[in-house]
Amino acid sequence: MNWASWTTSGVFAGAGGVSTAEVGIVTGDLTVHTTWSDEQAAVAVQFSGSSDWFTMAGSPVPCFSEEESRTFHQTVVEAVRAGAGAMVPPPQGTPATAPPSIA
């Protein structure tokens, strides 16, 4: 099994913060952590210096390579900086919503 992880600390959430599964919106100085394994990327955030991690809303997402997951982590960091209730963005090349089904 292949896996990789990335952590970026000192990421200040933009206005409106980041949406999490456990506690809703978090704001302030955050650490962002992405773990890639089994072709999925899982993202968690924590208040910098804290021990509690919160799953970022929308996590995990499909991610098919280590290289793609590294790029994805940077995209997540940028989304956190943008704030506005940020959720995990879909990986590049993945539509944000499923296309309508053809009946």
Side-chain angles (χ1 to χ4, degrees):
M1 171 173 76
N2 291 328
W3 72 275
S5 67
W6 292 272
T7 303
T8 303
S9 59
V11 181
F12 194 82
V18 176
S19 183
T20 69
E22 295 85 2
V23 296
I25 299 293
V26 295
T27 61
D29 185 5
L30 303 175
T31 297
V32 180
H33 181 78
T34 303
T35 302
W36 172 73
S37 67
D38 298 328
E39 296 188 338
Q40 287 197 332
V43 181
V45 296
Q46 73 176 178
F47 295 105
S48 292
S50 172
S51 61
D52 296 323
W53 287 95
F54 305 108
T55 305
M56 195 165 163
S59 177
V61 297
C63 197
F64 301 106
S65 72
E66 183 176 342
E67 181 180 341
E68 180 183 340
S69 67
R70 176 63 186 102
T71 300
F72 173 71
H73 173 78
Q74 188 58 43
T75 300
V76 171
V77 168
E78 291 165 12
V80 169
R81 287 184 177 132
M87 297 175 62
V88 171
Q92 288 184 326
T94 303
T97 58
S101 60
I102 299 174

